[in-house]
Amino acid sequence: MINFMKAILDANIIISDFRLTSPDSKILLEAAKNKNIELFIPEIVLDEIFNKFTERLLDAKSKIDKEKNIIKKLTNLDLIDEFSLDQIENIAQEYKKYIIKIFDDNNVKILNYPSVTHKEIVQKAIKKLKPFNSSEKGYRDSLIWENVKDLMPNLGTNIANPEVIFVTNNKKDFCENENDLHRELITEIKDAELDLDSIKVINSLNEFSRDIVQLFFIQATSFKSRLEAGEIEGFNLEYFILLNIKKELENNEISDIDSIPYRYEDATVRYIENVKNVKINDVRKMNASEYHLDLTCYAEMTIDFYVDKYDYYSNDEITFDVEDLDWNDYVIWASKLINPELKISIIIDNNLNLISIQID
């Protein structure tokens, strides 16, 4: 049940900034490096940008050669060729190494070509289904779309939305308008029983870097809503809290916990019966894989403690059970069933594992 925020880039996004040196590119890479997001590049996108990089160099060389010929005709000067095909090949190879190193250094994951069959793609082309257009162009876009779908969760299995951010400027083939998926792609998602709400289309890195904080907030809100509604399959929040406060409190001394008001000497929790009325006060998404939750709940627990014999015998109102009147010469062993409201702070990961817990 993985729920990292995943970003997948189309080729046009990288082609607009081949060396990924713009502020928006650096923000994206830093987010991936710090594991605030998972960043994916389809292998077909890599092939496309490498090819386009070489094409741009060849186009530039063609323009240079044309202008040099004009100068030669006008002046009879024989200009030296300083931009050869061999140089272009070497620059292209260096560029490949440069990009791969950037991806390695920033935790960027390469998605292999999808396993979809040629027959399935051809059928979409014949029917002119998106991302194919009326001229049946769109084979590479269809493969990228398959990579996008592979990242999407099945309906009902994810814990928060949006989960997949598809960054593409190809609105014509993927979108109905600016950011809304084309209705044919929506139908495809529903037919595959994937979660339509898990995907969001963004048209530029600038938009992504501007909205990432808001996207984290939306995910946190979605996670909180699903927890409260009990919509996460196989997960019961009250039982989860019960198990973990048992591990944290049972047989342990509790004098430092403000939520438990009993202040007898060496008070410990013997057993926690249950928890009720779990209330989620706040949820924050810390990074790509962890959420911070502030909770309150009532915990029915039996605590053990010691009471000074003098205090016991001089007190007319006894509100606890006596376990051993002669524990030693000075104190008695007592117990009490209490139901305090606990203030709990937890960090939970996307697999719904507890990372950290604090009971105040």
Side-chain angles (χ1 to χ4, degrees):
M1 192 180 292
I2 303 297
N3 188 238
F4 296 101
M5 181 179 286
K6 306 175 180 72
I8 179 170
L9 302 187
D10 200 352
N12 50 66
I13 300 300
I14 300 178
I15 288 170
S16 66
D17 179 25
F18 270 116
R19 293 200 167 266
L20 299 174
T21 55
S22 71
D24 291 325
S25 294
K26 287 186 175 293
I27 289 171
L28 179 75
L29 292 171
E30 190 69 16
K33 184 176 183 179
N34 293 333
K35 298 184 179 180
N36 292 325
I37 62 168
E38 271 194 313
L39 182 57
F40 295 89
I41 306 293
E43 187 179 1
I44 188 172
V45 164
L46 271 184
D47 290 342
E48 189 171 348
I49 63 173
F50 291 154
N51 181 66
K52 186 64 70 174
F53 182 83
T54 302
E55 283 184 1
R56 291 281 178 87
L57 290 176
L58 290 171
D59 183 56
K61 175 176 168 52
S62 175
K63 291 177 180 177
I64 290 171
D65 291 343
K66 180 179 178 181
E67 296 302 320
K68 283 168 62 178
N69 286 331
I70 293 173
I71 293 173
K72 186 176 181 179
K73 288 178 180 179
L74 292 174
T75 66
N76 290 322
L77 291 175
D78 190 10
L79 299 178
I80 299 173
D81 186 358
E82 295 181 348
F83 195 39
S84 67
L85 293 177
D86 287 341
Q87 283 179 306
I88 289 176
E89 176 62 26
N90 291 335
I91 292 170
Q93 291 302 319
E94 287 299 321
Y95 176 72
K96 289 181 181 181
K97 295 176 183 178
Y98 170 84
I99 287 295
I100 294 301
K101 186 176 188 308
I102 283 181
F103 290 166
D104 287 343
D105 290 345
N106 292 280
N107 299 319
V108 181
K109 298 174 176 63
I110 308 299
L111 295 173
N112 294 329
Y113 274 73
S115 58
V116 63
T117 65
H118 289 291
K119 183 175 182 179
E120 291 176 84
I121 298 294
V122 169
Q123 286 298 314
K124 290 182 72 173
I126 292 172
K127 296 176 183 178
K128 298 181 177 60
L129 295 175
K130 291 294 183 182
F132 284 94
N133 54 37
S134 58
S135 61
E136 298 186 9
K137 291 182 179 180
Y139 191 88
R140 285 181 296 183
D141 286 338
S142 289
L143 294 180
I144 293 169
W145 176 243
E146 292 298 322
N147 281 140
V148 172
K149 288 195 301 179
D150 286 343
L151 294 179
M152 293 176 62
N154 292 326
L155 193 61
T157 63
N158 61 318
I159 65 172
N161 288 322
E163 183 169 337
V164 179
I165 310 299
F166 181 30
V167 190
T168 179
N169 195 32
N170 186 2
K171 294 175 262 189
K172 176 170 61 73
D173 293 324
F174 287 110
C175 298
E176 195 81 39
N177 46 47
E178 284 294 310
N179 295 97
D180 296 328
L181 274 176
H182 194 279
R183 59 185 178 277
E184 291 173 358
L185 298 179
I186 290 175
T187 299
E188 192 174 329
I189 289 171
K190 291 180 177 179
D191 289 346
E193 296 186 348
L194 300 174
D195 190 336
L196 177 60
D197 292 332
S198 71
I199 186 168
K200 180 176 177 63
V201 178
I202 288 179
N203 298 142
S204 70
L205 289 187
N206 180 264
E207 185 180 347
F208 181 86
S209 61
R210 187 185 67 233
D211 291 349
I212 187 168
V213 174
Q214 178 66 13
L215 290 170
F216 270 30
F217 174 77
I218 292 170
Q219 267 200 327
T221 302
S222 173
F223 184 40
K224 180 175 184 287
S225 174
R226 293 190 175 198
L227 283 174
E228 290 174 333
E231 294 177 347
I232 300 176
E233 185 177 349
F235 183 78
N236 181 289
L237 181 60
E238 282 194 357
Y239 184 67
F240 176 83
I241 296 299
L242 176 62
L243 285 182
N244 285 290
I245 65 171
K246 276 176 172 283
K247 293 176 184 177
E248 189 74 9
L249 295 181
E250 284 187 354
N251 302 313
N252 288 326
E253 202 266 337
I254 56 174
S255 61
D256 292 333
I257 299 177
D258 293 336
S259 296
I260 303 177
Y262 243 70
R263 289 294 174 266
Y264 285 102
E265 184 180 351
D266 297 328
T268 59
V269 176
R270 182 195 303 181
Y271 185 71
I272 300 175
E273 299 284 344
N274 57 57
V275 296
K276 295 180 179 178
N277 302 327
V278 176
K279 181 181 178 182
I280 305 173
N281 300 309
D282 185 49
V283 177
R284 282 169 286 162
K285 189 168 176 63
M286 299 177 61
N287 51 49
S289 61
E290 294 175 337
Y291 292 87
H292 176 260
L293 284 72
D294 281 326
L295 312 164
T296 55
C297 69
Y298 288 91
E300 187 176 303
M301 62 177 68
T302 299
I303 62 172
D304 294 311
F305 49 93
Y306 301 99
V307 179
D308 185 275
K309 285 187 175 181
Y310 176 81
D311 291 337
Y312 172 70
Y313 286 115
S314 62
N315 191 344
D316 293 334
E317 293 186 15
I318 303 301
T319 60
F320 49 78
D321 297 322
V322 176
E323 300 290 338
D324 189 340
L325 197 59
D326 290 312
W327 178 252
N328 62 30
D329 292 337
Y330 307 101
V331 299
I332 67 169
W333 169 22
S335 67
K336 184 177 179 66
L337 182 65
I338 62 173
N339 189 33
E341 183 182 33
L342 301 182
K343 297 176 182 178
I344 303 172
S345 176
I346 65 173
I347 295 175
I348 188 172
D349 70 12
N350 290 315
N351 289 320
L352 300 174
N353 297 315
L354 182 74
I355 305 300
S356 177
I357 183 170
Q358 178 178 320
I359 303 173
D360 297 319

